[in-house]
């Protein structure tokens, strides 16, 4: 049958094309579609070079025009769109042709994950370029001409072999995102000071011995990552960076923390794995907005009382230091959810207490404050009107600590007198953990206007009640080690919920209502039987930073999960899936997400 189709004069008609001559690497249909859409995605096609007709896509008359002059309006080549987005990622390109200048309308050029050793100077002519991704290549230098791209907003150069940068870097005045991590840089051009629109700067994993003080002029900078360099000090002028929110200084050679008088917005300071010995009150007292302070694996000997000025602190990590005593007033930090102290020679705190978790630790510290200062003006907890049975109720906890606690009693129900004792006191935390509760106590709804933190862990609760769904101020829910199999849709009403701990229950599926609670920052679902997750729904959860799915029944990890870029901690160990392999998981969240993104089918 084949021979009849061939034209008479074609000697090869009817024979299959010889194996040595592959089909076109870029099908004509893709080119045709790109002329209409202005976008061309050629990622993952094993290209060792970019075919000439791609560079000339907006110059050459399309072939169809020669063959068929009666084509319809839809194909009129003179009405084509200029190419604005070209993706050449994950190929085998060793160089890019200077012909890139034939695409002057490009706003996005993505050539990440190739084998480029240099970039064409013609890139400097793409004056409309806004995003350039040349990460994961083998670039040793950047052409000066690149500095002419005055509209560039995002420049991704991570995972290359750059040892220096052009001095004119400061000309990229519109740059908002610059990633230079995982290169061989030993210094930063002083002209960086001119990048006043830069919001995110990543310098992690280089060989920087110091930072130029001038970068303090980057007045829009919110995130600065200098992890894993050789910094011994941080310029004191850094303290004037008024927009800075996240500062990563882990794995350097710092001996002390910088002072931050002007960083009123600084929310996260990560300085673990340094050689910090002293924590000064001066270093801390201005950080009114700080919510994360990470100082693990240093040589800190003591913690100043002024740490209690950090009223917004939520996470304090002091593990593996040389701390022998702590200010008990730490227990009064109102927002503290996570306190790590293990690996310190603490004299006053028994080791088994450290294993019990943050809430127990804070409770212990608070109990010690009362030993330290017995307050003379405080009303006696037992009044003449107190019922005899109420004496087992800790009124001090209710009135001063705003805590309603009835835990480790092996109780099947919470006694009514517990709720009666609350009266009009605004209780913010409830701890009914480690009992034998089969259901959530219905009277918990009486606390709905004040309670934010509920711990029902280690009970026998099989379903979430509607009363719980009415606690509209709830930010933390710990219901680990129960027998839950699902969550009700009504939980969607918990719009402020930030942290939910569902580990050690009996979920077979990811509870779909969680996808709609957009305030969630942490979902702990380890040790269940969850079989799948929906990455497109997760991507909408733009606050989600931690997702723990260890020890579940995930048979595969959807590659689109890699697009959930807000995730800082993704835990997947102990599932039956084959990929990503353990070696990839061991590299940490960023590497796993990057690996997953690389596997998204295009």
């Amino acid at each position: 049958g084949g021979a009849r189709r061939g034209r008479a004069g074609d000697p090869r008609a009817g024979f299959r094309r010889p194996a040595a001559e592959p089909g076109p690497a870029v099908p004509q249909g893709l080119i045709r579609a790109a002329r209409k859409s202005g976008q061309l995605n050629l990622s993952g096609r094993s290209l060792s070079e970019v075919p000439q007709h791609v560079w000339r896509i907006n110059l050459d008359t399309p072939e169809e025009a020669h063959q068929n002059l009666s084509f319809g309006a839809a194909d009129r080549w003179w009405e084509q769109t200029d190419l604005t987005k070209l993706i050449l990622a994950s190929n085998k390109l060793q160089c890019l042709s200077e012909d890139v200048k034939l695409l002057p309308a490009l706003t996005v050029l993505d050539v990440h994950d190739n084998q480029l050793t240099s970039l064409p100077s013609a890139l400097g002519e793409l004056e409309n370029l806004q995003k350039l991704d040349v990460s994961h290549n083998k670039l040793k230098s950047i052409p000066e001409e690149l500095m002419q791209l005055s509209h560039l907003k995002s420049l991704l150069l991570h995972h290359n072999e750059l040892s220096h940068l052009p001095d004119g870097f400061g000309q990229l005045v519109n740059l908002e995102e610059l990633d230079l991590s995982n290169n061989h840089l030993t210094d930063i051009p002083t002209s960086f000071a001119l990048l006043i629109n830069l919001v995110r700067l990543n310098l992690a994993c280089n060989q920087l011995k110091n930072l130029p003080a001038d970068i303090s002029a980057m007045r829009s900078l919110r995130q600065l990552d200098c992890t894993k360099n050789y910094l011994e000090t941080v310029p004191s002028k850094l303290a004037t960076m008024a927009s800075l929110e996240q500062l990563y200084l882990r794995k350097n050679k710092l001996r002390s923390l910088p002072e931050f008088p002007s960083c009123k917005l600084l929310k996260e300071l990560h300085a673990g794995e340094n050689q910090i010995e002293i924590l000064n009150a001066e270093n801390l007292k201005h950080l009114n907005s700080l919510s994360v302070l990470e100082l693990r694996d240093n040589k800190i000997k003591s913690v100043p009382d002024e740490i209690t000025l950090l009223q917004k602190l939520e996470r304090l990590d002091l593990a593996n230091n040389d701390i022998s005593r702590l200010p008990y007033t730490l227990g009064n930090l109102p927002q503290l959810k996570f306190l790590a102290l293990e690996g310190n020679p603490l004299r006053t705190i028994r080791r088994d207490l450290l294993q019990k978790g943050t809430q127990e630790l804070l409770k212990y510290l608070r109990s010690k404050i009362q030993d330290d200062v017995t307050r003379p003006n405080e009303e006696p907890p037992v009044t003449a009107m107190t019922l005899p049975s109420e004496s087992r109720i800790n009124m001090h906890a209710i009135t001063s600590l705003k805590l309603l606690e009835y835990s480790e009693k092996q109780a099947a129900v919470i006694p009514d007198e517990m709720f009666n004792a609350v009266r009009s006191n605004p209780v913010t935390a409830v701890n009914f953990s480690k009992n034998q509760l089969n259901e959530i106590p219905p009277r918990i709804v009486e606390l709905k206007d004040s309670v934010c933190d509920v711990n029902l862990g280690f009970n026998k609760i099989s379903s979430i009640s509607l009363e719980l769904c009415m606690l509209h101020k709830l930010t933390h829910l710990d219901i680990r080690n129960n027998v839950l199999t699902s969550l009700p849709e009504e939980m969607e009403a918990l719009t402020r919920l930030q942290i939910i701990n569902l580990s050690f229950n009996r979920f077979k599926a990811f509870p779909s209502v969680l996808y709609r609670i957009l305030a969630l920052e942490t979902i702990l679902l380890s040790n269940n039987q969850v079989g799948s997750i929906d990455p497109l729904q997760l991507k909408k959860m733009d606050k989600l930073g931690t997702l723990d799915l260890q020890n579940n029944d995930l048979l595969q990890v959807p590659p689109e999960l890699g697009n959930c870029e807000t995730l800082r901690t993704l835990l997947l160990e102990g599932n039956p899936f084959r990929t990503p392999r353990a070696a990839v998981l061991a590299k940490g969240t960023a590497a796993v997400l990057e690996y997953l993104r690389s596997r998204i089918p295009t």
Side-chain angles (χ1 to χ4, degrees), residues 368-387:
K368 286 293 195 191
I369 300 171
Q370 272 103 50
D371 302 354
D372 273 8
V373 284
T374 41
R375 300 182 188 140
N377 307 341
E378 200 158 288
E379 51 185 289
V382 181
T383 61
M385 294 293 294
T386 307
L387 303 168

Side-chain angles (χ1 to χ4, degrees), residues 584-597:
V584 176
L585 295 182
K587 287 183 186 166
T589 301
V592 171
L593 294 177
E594 198 172 304
Y595 167 84
L596 289 171
R597 281 196 294 275

Side-chain angles (χ1 to χ4, degrees), residues 22-52:
V26 181
Q28 206 55 48
L30 266 183
I31 296 280
R32 206 173 304 142
R35 286 208 174 96
K36 286 185 189 153
S37 69
Q39 305 192 357
L40 180 56
N41 184 346
L42 298 175
S43 59
R45 291 183 167 266
S46 302
L47 298 175
S48 50
E49 55 183 25
V50 180
Q52 194 60 28

Side-chain angles (χ1 to χ4, degrees), residues 259-278:
E259 292 178 21
F260 297 100
S262 303
C263 298
K264 296 274 187 277
L265 297 177
L266 193 67
K267 292 186 178 64
E268 296 189 23
L269 174 56
H270 299 258
E273 293 189 57
N274 278 284
Q275 290 152 29
I276 299 171
E277 293 181 16
I278 296 179

Side-chain angles (χ1 to χ4, degrees), residues 145-405:
E145 289 81 358
L146 209 61
M147 303 301 110
Q148 298 160 18
L149 298 175
S150 57
H151 290 108
L152 204 58
K153 285 190 178 154
S154 169
L155 177 55
L156 306 182
L157 293 159
H158 48 285
H159 287 275
N160 276 289
E161 295 166 18
L162 301 172
S163 51
H164 67 280
L165 298 171
D167 288 334
F169 222 98
Q171 295 165 36
L172 301 173
V173 285
N174 282 303
L175 215 50
E176 293 172 14
E177 175 181 38
L178 175 58
D179 193 339
L180 289 158
S181 59
N182 292 281
N183 278 287
H184 308 321
L185 299 173
T186 52
D187 54 7
I188 295 297
T190 45
S191 70
F192 259 44
L194 303 171
L195 302 176
I196 53 169
N197 289 302
L198 202 62
V199 175
R200 284 187 300 281
L201 173 58
N202 192 342
L203 299 167
C205 303
N206 277 287
Q207 292 157 27
L208 301 173
K209 292 200 171 59
N210 48 47
L211 293 173
D214 311 341
I215 69 169
S216 58
M218 295 181 178
R219 53 170 187 244
S220 307
L221 199 66
R222 291 210 294 262
Q223 188 180 50
L224 174 59
D225 191 342
C226 299
T227 305
K228 210 168 176 193
N229 278 283
Y230 300 117
L231 301 175
E232 291 176 21
T233 56
V234 171
S236 53
K237 279 176 80 175
L238 211 65
T240 61
M241 299 181 75
S243 299
L244 201 60
E245 291 180 12
Q246 295 172 311
L247 177 58
Y248 293 85
L249 297 166
R250 305 197 57 195
K251 299 192 183 194
N252 278 285
K253 301 202 178 314
L254 299 175
R255 297 195 171 279
S256 64
L257 262 190
E259 292 178 21
F260 297 100
S262 303
C263 298
K264 296 274 187 277
L265 297 177
L266 193 67
K267 292 186 178 64
E268 296 189 23
L269 174 56
H270 299 258
E273 293 189 57
N274 278 284
Q275 290 152 29
I276 299 171
E277 293 181 16
I278 296 179
L279 209 51
N280 281 330
E282 287 304 312
N283 305 121
L284 299 173
K285 65 183 190 200
H286 303 287
L287 299 173
N288 322 4
S289 304
L290 203 66
S291 67
V292 176
L293 178 57
E294 189 268 308
L295 294 165
R296 62 183 301 131
D297 298 287
N298 276 289
K299 298 177 177 168
I300 297 168
K301 297 199 168 38
S302 69
V303 178
D305 291 344
E306 282 78 1
I307 195 139
T308 51
L309 296 172
L310 307 180
Q311 286 285 300
K312 298 230 172 108
L313 204 59
E314 294 180 19
R315 294 182 68 85
L316 175 60
D317 191 341
L318 295 166
N320 305 327
N321 276 283
D322 300 330
I323 299 168
S324 55
R325 59 166 298 276
L326 277 179
Y328 291 135
T329 45
L330 256 182
N332 281 340
L333 283 173
Q335 311 278 328
L336 199 63
K337 318 285 187 302
F338 174 87
L339 173 61
L341 294 169
E342 64 272 11
N344 281 291
L346 287 164
R347 299 212 180 88
T348 49
I349 300 180
R350 295 198 319 276
R351 183 168 289 160
D352 63 306
L353 193 66
L354 294 178
Q355 311 295 315
K356 284 188 175 168
T358 299
Q359 294 310 320
E360 295 290 313
L361 205 46
L362 294 177
K363 196 169 83 182
Y364 169 79
L365 291 170
R366 284 195 293 265
S367 74
K368 286 293 195 191
I369 300 171
Q370 272 103 50
D371 302 354
D372 273 8
V373 284
T374 41
R375 300 182 188 140
N377 307 341
E378 200 158 288
E379 51 185 289
V382 181
T383 61
M385 294 293 294
T386 307
L387 303 168
S389 67
E390 256 184 42
S391 57
R392 63 174 169 163
I393 292 168
N394 183 346
M395 285 311 292
H396 171 74
I398 292 177
T399 53
S400 301
L401 307 178
K402 304 186 168 64
L403 167 67
L404 184 61
E405 181 176 22

Side-chain angles (χ1 to χ4, degrees), residues 305-590:
D305 291 344
E306 282 78 1
I307 195 139
T308 51
L309 296 172
L310 307 180
Q311 286 285 300
K312 298 230 172 108
L313 204 59
E314 294 180 19
R315 294 182 68 85
L316 175 60
D317 191 341
L318 295 166
N320 305 327
N321 276 283
D322 300 330
I323 299 168
S324 55
R325 59 166 298 276
L326 277 179
Y328 291 135
T329 45
L330 256 182
N332 281 340
L333 283 173
Q335 311 278 328
L336 199 63
K337 318 285 187 302
F338 174 87
L339 173 61
L341 294 169
E342 64 272 11
N344 281 291
L346 287 164
R347 299 212 180 88
T348 49
I349 300 180
R350 295 198 319 276
R351 183 168 289 160
D352 63 306
L353 193 66
L354 294 178
Q355 311 295 315
K356 284 188 175 168
T358 299
Q359 294 310 320
E360 295 290 313
L361 205 46
L362 294 177
K363 196 169 83 182
Y364 169 79
L365 291 170
R366 284 195 293 265
S367 74
K368 286 293 195 191
I369 300 171
Q370 272 103 50
D371 302 354
D372 273 8
V373 284
T374 41
R375 300 182 188 140
N377 307 341
E378 200 158 288
E379 51 185 289
V382 181
T383 61
M385 294 293 294
T386 307
L387 303 168
S389 67
E390 256 184 42
S391 57
R392 63 174 169 163
I393 292 168
N394 183 346
M395 285 311 292
H396 171 74
I398 292 177
T399 53
S400 301
L401 307 178
K402 304 186 168 64
L403 167 67
L404 184 61
E405 181 176 22
Y406 196 82
S407 64
E408 301 192 53
K409 304 268 195 283
Q410 302 305 314
V413 291
I414 302 297
D416 275 335
E417 64 226 42
M418 285 303 296
F419 288 103
N420 297 343
V422 172
R423 299 202 182 91
S424 57
N425 287 295
V427 163
T428 58
V430 169
N431 182 357
F432 294 156
S433 64
K434 302 191 177 157
N435 282 298
Q436 303 278 333
L437 303 178
N438 291 318
E439 59 168 15
I440 295 172
R443 285 188 65 182
I444 203 167
V445 74
E446 296 170 19
L447 312 173
K448 69 176 175 18
D449 291 324
S450 58
V451 74
C452 327
D453 188 333
V454 170
N455 184 349
L456 293 160
F458 299 92
N459 278 290
K460 296 181 172 174
I461 297 168
S462 58
S463 67
I464 299 282
S465 64
L466 294 182
E467 284 87 2
L468 187 87
C469 300
M470 293 162 77
L471 305 180
H472 58 98
K473 293 200 167 159
L474 202 59
T475 57
H476 292 71
L477 176 59
D478 186 343
I479 196 154
R480 75 180 91 168
N481 295 73
N482 277 281
V483 289
L484 296 172
T485 54
S486 64
L487 298 180
E489 301 302 318
E490 286 81 1
M491 274 185 77
E492 197 174 351
L494 302 177
T495 54
R496 299 190 191 180
L497 191 60
Q498 295 171 359
I499 298 182
I500 188 164
N501 190 341
L502 299 165
S503 50
F504 291 95
N505 274 282
R506 299 184 181 171
F507 290 97
K508 290 196 161 46
F510 190 93
S512 58
V513 66
L514 295 183
Y515 294 130
R516 299 198 297 284
I517 305 177
L518 295 179
L520 275 169
E521 295 169 12
T522 299
I523 298 177
L524 305 177
L525 248 176
S526 69
N527 297 281
N528 281 282
Q529 296 136 43
V530 174
S532 66
I533 43 176
D534 183 340
L536 300 176
Q537 300 266 25
L538 279 172
K539 187 168 175 10
K540 296 179 192 159
M541 304 181 71
D542 55 7
K543 302 267 192 320
L544 192 62
T546 299
L547 176 59
D548 182 354
L549 289 164
Q550 294 178 97
N551 304 324
N552 275 284
D553 294 345
L554 294 173
L555 286 167
Q556 57 199 39
V557 183
E560 292 78 10
L561 189 59
N563 286 331
C564 298
E565 284 164 16
T566 55
L567 282 178
R568 298 308 272 282
T569 306
L570 172 64
L571 302 171
L572 296 169
E573 285 76 6
N575 278 285
F577 57 76
R578 295 251 175 87
T579 58
R581 295 186 183 281
V584 176
L585 295 182
K587 287 183 186 166
T589 301

Side-chain angles (χ1 to χ4, degrees), residues 33-40 58 81-86 106:
R35 286 208 174 96
K36 286 185 189 153
S37 69
Q39 305 192 357
L40 180 56
N58 296 142
T81 315
D82 281 344
L83 199 63
T84 56
K85 187 171 179 182
L86 177 58
L106 279 185

